Amino acid sequence: MEKKTVGTSVIVLLALIQGVLTSIAVEVKPSVNPATAGNTVTLSLSPSTAIKSGSWAVGESVILTWIGEQQAVFPSHAGRAAVNILTGALTLSSVSVVDSGVYVVQGSDPQLQASASITVVETISNVTLSVNETNLMEFNGSAVVKCSVSSGSSLSFLWMNGSSEVTASDRVQLTDGNSTLTIVNVTRYDRGPFMCCVLNPVSNGTSDALNFTISYGPDNMALTVNGNNSTSFSVGSNLTMLCSAQSNPPALLQWAVRGELMNTTGPLLQLFSVSEDQSGPYSCLAFNNHTNMNSTITTKIVISKSGSEQQAVSVWLLPLLLLNVAEQLRFTVNGHTLLCTSPAHSQSIHASENPIQVGSDVTLYSQTEVTTGVWLSADMGIIVFIFSGNVMIDTDWKDRVTFNSTTSSLTIKSLEVGDSGVYILEAFNSFRANLTLSVQVPISNVTLKARETNLVEFNDTAVLMCSVSKGTSLSYVWMNGSSVVTADGGAQFSNGGATLTIAMVTRHDEGPFKCNVSNGISHEISSPVQLNISYGPSNVTMTVMPMRHIHRTGSNITLMCSAESKPQETIQWMVDGMYLNQSGPQLNLERVAESNSGNYKCLLHNTVTSRFASTSTMIMVLDPLASVVVNQTGGPAILHKSFTMCCEVVGSVDRIQWWKNGNLIYADNTTDFSMGNKTLTLNPVQQSDNGHYACQAFNYVSNMTSSPFMVEVSYGPYMPTIMGPNAAKTGDNVTLSCHASSHPPSTYKWFFNGSNVANMSKYCTPPLTKDMSGKYICEAYNNVTDKNSTAYTMLTVIDPITAVQIEASMNLAIEGHYYNLTCNVTGPADHVYWMKNGEPLHEDNSTVISKDNKTVSFNPLAYNDTGYYKCMAINAVENMTSLPYMLLVNFGPKKPIIQGPAYAETGRTVDFECSAKSMPPSNFTWWFNGSEVANTSMLTTGPLSLTMSGEYTCVAYNAVTGKNSSNSKMLKVVEAITSVMVQNTSIPINNENFTLTCVVTGPYDKIYWMKDNMHLNMNSSMEAANMSYHIQNNMLHFTPVTLYSDGMYQCVAANEAAHHNSSSYMLLVNYGPLSVKILTPDAIVFGIPVSLKCYADSRPECDFYWFVNNQSLPEITGSEITFTPLKDSNWSYTCKAMNPVTNITMYKTKTFTIGHASTLIPSQGSLMLMGLFALSATVLFD
């Protein structure tokens, strides 16, 4: 065979699965089929199989794949599909109609393939009918009814007219998959009710009933005389003529005699005591104003003394009679007269059973009692005639009919099939109602036969014939399995639905077929008939395991070919057009080599259908890679130069890619690939190119990655960095450190004044002298890059600072005078800094620092210049701070501040305290009316008099500054308030006026009142709501006083000097009694003392008096009375409660009755008898 090379990369999902695998047989079983839309479907494997890697697909679309526990769900089924790797089962949630199809599972470990078809059906909902017109004319209109659903799929439609199935005929058409019913030239029997039944494998639904109003007639007229067909009568007879016609709406009836219209309308014509001159042709004319049609019936009546035979109306008279009647009827209708109009009321009749089995009895019921009227059969004429309570039954019906005059119901016995038809009840000049009765024979022995059962798909036609031994009004429904068979392009019904013909059968027409025959009273289903349909081969599939397009040499390959075929197809294998000595559904290629590459085809043949089919696939076999190594070309990787690596591969290579530190490398302006990616060049090399490099080689059956190759970029040295001081003290040792970025690390040398002083990165000096100040140079050298780099640092050697102190002026520091501070430093100082109280000292308009910062001048000195001062001397190697110097500024005194009252009462003493800011502290003297009264800061007066009012002056003096300062305070002495008290002149009684008086000794400016330590607020809303009071001069008036007035009251008298509070006055308002109660024990037993206690709500407590049985004098005083109740007695106890302060009296009475007691006396130890005895005494209280 010719070897072929595949030039493109094929990414196969399961390309990593290798080794020898074993194929197993499984079957896919859906959890439900067909499935309902929106539900969850699980496709399980039988037997349950754990698949390590595989895929599920529907048709050509992959649903998901998995390897181990990792699943990849394709976007079309994201969130709806999952596989159980332990069982291989696929679960689909929220399925829809579009999910219908053939589901295929393929596994590579173990090898398997299986499929199953599922159908998703949407549930039927809201079956509705739409119609073009409901009011139609018989033989002159067509009805088109369309059946639709809001939701549902895979629909089958079944139409019902009442209890009968509607089938296609010359007038009845079923189109649009049976969803549209068309009735051409409707008849009166097409009124309905029509219903549409919609079915699918998971649900069904039925529409509401639809009725047509079909206008027809008048026709089928009947005319009887005296209830029979007699036409000859004797003179003096009474004649009753009854006329009927089939018509909707009911026809207008008009009577005529000898061609002349009579003044009689309606179905009844009555003639009394007839004479010979009343002989002649009598006609009943019927007119329907909807159909605009008329009809007539005539009978010849002969009146004689002996009677004669009925004769037909003269031929020449009838056309004239019809013409005249028709014209008058039309004139009457258009002229809006009532000549031909009979009353019409909405009435109905119903049957005890309809449809009904032959041989049964039926009763036809009326909603209304009929006293004058007729029961008619549209096909057989009058059955019963009712007139003025008299009933006449036609002789043809006499043996089988009974009439109930109370209910006007009609009973027909031993029904025959011929009794089917329209039955009419007409009440003369009132109403007309009709009913269609169906008498049917039960169905029996339904048989289904097929003309031929062995058929070939797309070639043959199936003919199925359904028959019954007995039955009438038959309706046929055909079933294929659980689905209803409907007429379409392939299936047709004939012979009233009894024959099903399926042209060009398919494999789905095998059945089982059943015939369901029904009428209104019974139904029966035939035994199933199964067709044997040969088909295929079709839907050919070939599966290659492992699932790859290119295979590794030495592996095993299995090709499996399958198709849908009946009977089983034969399979022959070919490669590159040459037959292999191999047949059957499976071809095994073991330990394949590259020579096994080629185009493999399976050829399938069905010996019954004589049909062929085939499918093919391309198999490629390739050797795997043997080794992959990375080597460098040229010298080492040096920064900013070029560096090249080469990938050396043993084996056929399709593609090479490079990795660095686990990341894929892409070409850029410094990275270049050549020789089919075998060579990687870094130009120029960058410091970031450090890392582990690897190359990976691919062919279609393997890939291999080299061991890591370490790339270290050599660079530097960059300019060194020197660490160390720039200045140092004489006598110290200094260490200088040098470092330069470099790979590999550099070597170092130190130079001073042109001499090499060290050969390492660190240089430590000997003890420093001033002549060792100067430039120190560091040199770094890289022996790989052959580069060097230098840097230097300057070192200054300085003597140390030994002392720092502050020197002050010799004069005293006094506010407003000149003063300075000097910083004396021993040793070299570059800078001097001043601090006050630990903070840097800054110049202002009175504080000046000299140019060399050594002197601070204060001009003038202020008292806030007081503080601790330091100076700090700094040079390049150290700093030193002086000890703190305390500067204390003498100042003052400032203007004194006097603390003390402005007003005081006679007889009191007053304290005045004087203070002034001063350093050192001042001495104080007090002066009043030009005389010194004290020489301390505190002045305490003696008992005050009115003459001691005036100005008090304090003088402060500082002996250091020689300054003084003074301030004054005015004191006014007023006459003292010596007494404040609250008095009342009456007793506070609830709801009476009451006054409190504030009595004050001494002059005052104002008086105010307090209650419960709170100012008595005249504007308080709460107080205003519960209390009514006002203040007048020194009196507080309650108008009136209430219980809300209770509280602790004080009056306050105030002058300029003080507020004086009275002693507290407790106001308790006397009230009541408000209510009286008598407290009694829970149980009272005669012979045992009883205590009643009287209680009253009152302040103060009431005096109590007890009166027994309405006596005039009290029985006892006090709140409690005790007595011993006697049997068979009635007692009344009254408590009188009197408040001695308010003089209010209230009474409360308690009455009780002790009934007849038991004669049983409790003995010792008989607790139960004692309880019964106690319960036997009944006490009644009011």
Side-chain angles (χ1 to χ4, degrees):
M1 284 179 285
E2 179 186 359
K3 294 184 179 179
K4 298 185 179 180
T5 300
V6 179
T8 59
S9 176
V10 180
I11 300 176
V12 180
L13 179 63
L14 303 178
L16 299 177
I17 302 173
Q18 301 179 6
V20 179
L21 305 177
T22 303
S23 177
I24 62 174
V26 296
E27 181 181 359
V28 177
K29 292 187 176 181
S31 57
V32 61
N33 193 19
T36 303
N39 288 351
T40 297
V41 178
T42 299
L43 301 175
S44 303
L45 301 186
S46 178
S48 178
T49 304
I51 305 174
K52 295 181 180 179
S53 60
S55 67
W56 275 97
V58 53
E60 299 295 328
S61 301
V62 178
I63 299 173
L64 57 79
T65 62
W66 73 96
I67 299 176
E69 295 183 355
Q70 295 184 349
Q71 298 184 27
V73 181
F74 280 56
S76 59
H77 289 76
R80 297 197 305 116
V83 68
N84 185 334
I85 61 173
L86 298 179
T87 63
L90 172 69
T91 299
L92 297 172
S93 60
S94 301
V95 296
S96 61
V97 175
V98 296
D99 289 323
S100 299
V102 178
Y103 284 76
V104 180
V105 60
Q106 286 192 359
S108 55
D109 187 8
Q111 291 187 12
L112 59 84
Q113 181 181 26
S115 64
S117 175
I118 66 169
T119 302
V120 181
V121 181
E122 192 173 7
T123 303
I124 294 168
S125 66
N126 193 22
V127 180
T128 56
L129 296 180
S130 59
V131 62
N132 62 332
E133 180 65 53
T134 57
N135 295 314
L136 301 169
M137 191 87 68
E138 188 177 40
F139 308 128
N140 196 28
S142 296
V144 179
V145 188
K146 295 184 178 181
C147 184
S148 61
V149 297
S150 295
S151 64
S153 61
S154 301
L155 305 178
S156 297
F157 295 86
L158 179 66
W159 291 87
M160 302 296 291
N161 182 357
S163 60
S164 301
E165 180 188 357
V166 178
T167 57
S169 65
D170 55 345
R171 286 195 314 108
V172 178
Q173 302 170 4
L174 295 172
T175 56
D176 298 331
N178 285 10
S179 65
T180 300
L181 169 64
T182 303
I183 305 175
V184 181
N185 295 329
V186 295
T187 71
R188 64 195 69 185
Y189 306 109
D190 297 326
R191 289 176 294 182
F194 286 90
M195 289 180 293
C196 173
C197 304
V198 186
L199 308 94
N200 65 16
V202 299
S203 61
N204 62 76
T206 303
S207 70
D208 292 335
L210 171 67
N211 289 284
F212 289 100
T213 300
I214 299 177
S215 300
Y216 58 87
D219 53 23
N220 297 326
M221 295 188 68
L223 193 156
T224 59
V225 183
N226 289 351
N228 52 48
N229 295 324
S230 300
T231 57
S232 298
F233 303 94
S234 300
V235 173
S237 300
N238 295 331
L239 303 185
T240 298
M241 300 184 192
L242 183 63
C243 179
S244 64
Q246 293 184 10
S247 175
N248 186 40
L252 304 174
L253 301 178
Q254 174 72 50
W255 290 91
V257 59
R258 291 186 294 274
E260 296 292 333
L261 292 177
M262 303 175 65
N263 192 21
T264 301
T265 60
L268 188 65
L269 172 63
Q270 293 179 297
L271 302 176
F272 300 99
S273 300
V274 295
S275 58
E276 289 181 294
D277 58 359
Q278 288 179 290
S279 298
Y282 284 80
S283 299
C284 175
L285 296 94
F287 176 68
N288 185 327
N289 57 6
H290 278 217
T291 65
N292 206 31
M293 296 173 62
N294 60 68
S295 182
T296 185
I297 188 172
T298 302
T299 185
K300 185 175 181 181
I301 303 299
V302 177
I303 310 297
S304 63
K305 292 181 180 179
S306 59
S308 61
E309 296 181 356
Q310 178 180 332
Q311 298 179 2
V313 69
S314 301
V315 176
W316 63 270
L317 181 61
L318 183 57
L320 178 62
L321 179 62
L322 291 174
L323 179 61
N324 291 338
V325 171
E327 289 178 354
Q328 291 195 35
L329 286 173
R330 287 189 178 88
F331 174 79
T332 302
V333 174
N334 294 332
H336 303 287
T337 69
L338 299 178
L339 178 63
C340 294
T341 304
S342 60
H345 304 285
S346 177
Q347 296 290 338
S348 66
I349 56 177
H350 65 278
S352 58
E353 185 178 355
N354 190 22
I356 190 169
Q357 185 172 330
V358 65
S360 303
D361 298 343
V362 69
T363 300
L364 308 180
Y365 296 97
S366 168
Q367 290 180 323
T368 306
E369 181 183 355
V370 177
T371 57
T372 301
V374 63
W375 273 101
L376 300 169
S377 167
D379 298 323
M380 293 171 279
I382 294 176
I383 303 171
V384 176
F385 178 73
I386 312 108
F387 178 70
S388 299
N390 297 315
V391 176
M392 291 183 292
I393 299 176
D394 187 86
T395 55
D396 293 339
W397 295 88
K398 207 159 202 177
D399 295 334
R400 294 197 301 129
V401 166
T402 59
F403 176 76
N404 187 326
S405 58
T406 303
T407 61
S408 299
S409 61
L410 180 70
T411 300
I412 306 173
K413 302 177 181 178
S414 301
L415 287 169
E416 302 169 357
V417 174
D419 291 330
S420 299
V422 178
Y423 288 81
I424 303 167
L425 173 61
E426 182 163 345
F428 298 150
N429 296 321
S430 178
F431 71 85
R432 177 187 178 97
N434 58 65
L435 167 77
T436 301
L437 181 67
S438 177
V439 181
Q440 299 178 357
V441 176
I443 296 168
S444 64
N445 193 20
V446 178
T447 303
L448 177 60
K449 294 182 180 180
R451 183 176 296 170
E452 178 62 51
T453 58
N454 293 317
L455 306 169
V456 175
E457 187 180 39
F458 307 132
N459 287 357
D460 297 333
T461 297
V463 179
L464 301 171
M465 296 162 288
C466 186
S467 62
V468 299
S469 296
K470 292 182 180 180
T472 59
S473 302
L474 302 178
S475 175
Y476 297 87
V477 175
W478 289 84
M479 305 293 292
N480 183 355
S482 60
S483 301
V484 176
V485 180
T486 58
D488 54 24
Q492 297 295 329
F493 299 106
S494 59
N495 194 23
T499 300
L500 169 62
T501 301
I502 305 175
M504 298 183 69
V505 293
T506 70
R507 66 196 68 183
H508 307 295
D509 296 326
E510 287 189 321
F513 287 91
K514 291 182 285 186
C515 173
N516 186 348
V517 186
S518 62
N519 58 18
I521 62 171
S522 63
H523 73 91
E524 187 173 318
I525 301 176
S526 70
S527 298
V529 169
Q530 187 82 32
L531 300 180
N532 180 29
I533 299 177
S534 299
Y535 56 85
S538 60
N539 298 328
V540 181
T541 60
M542 182 186 293
T543 304
V544 180
M545 301 298 293
M547 292 188 295
R548 297 185 181 129
H549 290 125
I550 301 177
H551 300 263
R552 190 184 189 121
T553 56
S555 61
N556 297 332
I557 304 174
T558 300
L559 290 81
M560 293 175 287
C561 193
S562 64
E564 294 179 12
S565 178
K566 183 180 179 183
Q568 185 68 42
E569 73 282 355
T570 61
I571 301 176
Q572 182 68 42
W573 290 90
M574 304 175 70
V575 60
D576 292 336
M578 303 294 293
Y579 281 99
L580 297 174
N581 188 21
Q582 181 73 37
S583 62
Q586 184 168 306
L587 174 63
N588 295 319
L589 304 177
E590 297 181 353
R591 302 187 62 79
V592 294
E594 290 188 349
S595 59
N596 291 119
S597 299
N599 188 354
Y600 286 79
K601 177 187 287 187
C602 65
L603 183 65
L604 303 92
H605 178 224
N606 186 322
T607 58
V608 175
T609 65
S610 299
R611 294 177 183 149
F612 289 88
S614 67
T615 186
S616 63
T617 188
M618 189 69 189
I619 299 293
M620 295 293 298
V621 181
L622 196 63
D623 288 328
L625 298 172
S627 69
V628 180
V629 177
V630 175
N631 290 314
Q632 77 178 49
T633 301
I638 297 177
L639 187 67
H640 304 315
K641 295 185 178 181
S642 178
F643 178 71
T644 301
M645 290 173 282
C646 181
C647 184
E648 298 177 358
V649 183
V650 177
S652 174
V653 178
D654 295 311
R655 180 167 59 92
I656 292 177
Q657 61 187 23
W658 288 82
W659 300 83
K660 175 190 173 186
N661 297 332
N663 297 313
L664 194 61
I665 302 175
Y666 299 96
D668 56 26
N669 56 352
T670 64
T671 304
D672 181 61
F673 298 105
S674 60
M675 298 179 64
N677 279 19
K678 286 187 177 182
T679 300
L680 168 61
T681 301
L682 305 176
N683 187 21
V685 172
Q686 303 176 75
Q687 208 163 334
S688 59
D689 290 331
N690 279 312
H692 291 88
Y693 287 76
C695 70
Q696 184 179 17
F698 294 85
N699 64 19
Y700 292 110
V701 296
S702 65
N703 70 81
M704 182 175 287
T705 303
S706 70
S707 298
F709 180 83
M710 182 63 189
V711 173
E712 294 182 312
V713 177
S714 298
Y715 62 91
Y718 293 125
M719 178 178 283
T721 301
I722 299 176
M723 302 295 294
N726 294 321
K729 293 187 294 182
T730 57
D732 288 350
N733 298 99
V734 171
T735 298
L736 301 176
S737 296
C738 184
H739 173 74
S741 180
S742 172
H743 184 80
S746 296
T747 60
Y748 297 91
K749 290 183 179 181
W750 283 95
F751 297 90
F752 177 66
N753 288 339
S755 299
N756 181 204
V757 294
N759 291 315
M760 58 185 63
S761 62
K762 288 186 178 181
Y763 170 51
C764 185
T765 69
L768 294 172
T769 61
K770 282 195 171 184
D771 59 0
M772 294 176 70
S773 296
K775 181 188 293 186
Y776 288 79
I777 300 171
C778 171
E779 180 184 82
Y781 173 71
N782 186 327
N783 61 355
V784 175
T785 64
D786 196 29
K787 292 183 178 181
N788 61 50
S789 181
T790 62
Y792 70 91
T793 184
M794 296 300 297
L795 177 63
T796 303
V797 182
I798 304 172
D799 289 331
I801 297 172
T802 58
V804 178
Q805 60 183 5
I806 294 176
E807 182 181 347
S809 299
M810 298 301 294
N811 56 306
L812 287 174
I814 297 176
E815 184 181 32
H817 293 195
Y818 176 82
Y819 198 80
N820 61 39
L821 299 174
T822 301
C823 183
N824 295 324
V825 181
T826 302
D830 297 329
H831 302 283
V832 174
Y833 296 99
W834 287 88
M835 289 175 289
K836 176 186 176 184
N837 297 329
E839 298 291 334
L841 180 65
H842 300 287
E843 289 185 319
D844 56 25
N845 56 355
S846 64
T847 304
V848 178
I849 301 175
S850 64
K851 288 185 178 181
D852 59 1
N853 277 16
K854 290 187 177 181
T855 302
V856 177
S857 300
F858 303 94
N859 188 21
L861 194 64
Y863 77 90
N864 57 7
D865 289 328
T866 297
Y868 289 94
Y869 289 79
K870 293 181 182 179
C871 70
M872 176 188 292
I874 302 174
N875 63 22
V877 295
E878 65 177 345
N879 66 76
M880 182 175 288
T881 303
S882 69
L883 295 174
Y885 175 81
M886 177 61 186
L887 174 61
L888 186 62
V889 179
N890 298 285
F891 67 92
K894 304 294 184 183
K895 186 174 182 177
I897 297 172
I898 299 174
Q899 298 290 335
Y903 299 92
E905 292 182 317
T906 56
R908 313 287 186 186
T909 61
V910 171
D911 291 329
F912 290 109
E913 184 175 4
C914 185
S915 63
K917 290 183 178 181
S918 175
M919 179 56 67
S922 296
N923 297 317
F924 296 93
T925 57
W926 283 92
W927 300 81
F928 177 66
N929 289 340
S931 300
E932 182 179 337
V933 293
N935 56 8
T936 62
S937 63
M938 179 73 74
L939 169 63
T940 300
T941 68
L944 293 171
S945 63
L946 294 177
T947 60
M948 296 175 71
S949 296
E951 183 179 31
Y952 289 78
T953 302
C954 170
V955 179
Y957 174 72
N958 186 328
V960 175
T961 65
K963 294 181 179 181
N964 62 53
S965 181
S966 64
N967 197 6
S968 298
K969 179 80 173 182
M970 293 300 297
L971 175 66
K972 181 180 179 181
V973 180
V974 298
E975 189 174 348
I977 297 173
T978 59
S979 172
V980 180
M981 60 187 302
V982 177
Q983 294 180 348
N984 64 303
T985 58
S986 61
I987 297 173
I989 297 176
N990 190 33
N991 291 323
E992 294 185 4
N993 291 344
F994 179 72
T995 300
L996 294 176
T997 302
C998 184
V999 179
V1000 182
T1001 302
Y1004 60 88
D1005 295 328
K1006 65 177 180 179
I1007 288 176
Y1008 61 90
W1009 290 85
M1010 299 182 70
K1011 178 187 178 185
D1012 297 331
N1013 296 320
M1014 302 286 290
H1015 277 276
L1016 197 58
N1017 191 348
M1018 298 299 294
N1019 298 320
S1020 173
S1021 60
M1022 181 176 292
E1023 292 176 351
N1026 299 316
M1027 296 173 56
S1028 178
Y1029 60 86
H1030 66 276
I1031 298 174
Q1032 184 179 16
N1033 297 328
N1034 64 333
M1035 289 181 288
L1036 173 61
H1037 299 284
F1038 296 88
T1039 55
V1041 70
T1042 67
L1043 297 181
Y1044 294 103
S1045 304
D1046 284 358
M1048 190 75 71
Y1049 288 81
Q1050 289 177 293
C1051 75
V1052 182
N1055 59 22
E1056 291 178 309
H1059 290 243
H1060 295 268
N1061 290 20
S1062 70
S1063 299
S1064 298
Y1065 174 84
M1066 175 58 72
L1067 175 59
L1068 294 175
V1069 179
N1070 298 284
Y1071 66 90
L1074 301 179
S1075 63
V1076 179
K1077 295 181 181 178
I1078 296 177
L1079 302 180
T1080 63
D1082 294 336
I1084 296 177
V1085 180
F1086 68 84
I1088 299 177
V1090 174
S1091 292
L1092 304 180
K1093 188 170 184 179
C1094 192
Y1095 167 79
D1097 184 6
S1098 170
R1099 182 190 292 156
E1101 290 189 358
C1102 289
D1103 297 329
F1104 296 98
Y1105 305 88
W1106 287 93
F1107 298 85
V1108 179
N1109 290 338
N1110 298 321
Q1111 293 176 351
S1112 59
L1113 296 176
E1115 182 76 16
I1116 192 173
T1117 61
S1119 62
E1120 189 170 351
I1121 185 171
T1122 301
F1123 64 95
T1124 299
L1126 303 176
K1127 62 182 179 179
D1128 297 334
S1129 59
N1130 296 322
W1131 297 88
S1132 172
Y1133 286 83
T1134 300
C1135 172
K1136 174 183 176 183
M1138 184 177 70
N1139 188 322
V1141 175
T1142 65
N1143 291 323
I1144 297 174
T1145 301
M1146 290 187 72
Y1147 295 86
K1148 182 66 176 180
T1149 301
K1150 180 70 72 173
T1151 61
F1152 57 89
T1153 302
I1154 299 178
H1156 179 69
S1158 171
T1159 58
L1160 294 175
I1161 300 175
S1163 61
Q1164 291 183 350
S1166 180
L1167 181 60
M1168 183 178 292
L1169 289 175
M1170 184 179 293
L1172 293 172
F1173 179 78
L1175 292 173
S1176 66
T1178 305
V1179 179
L1180 303 176
F1181 293 98
D1182 63 350

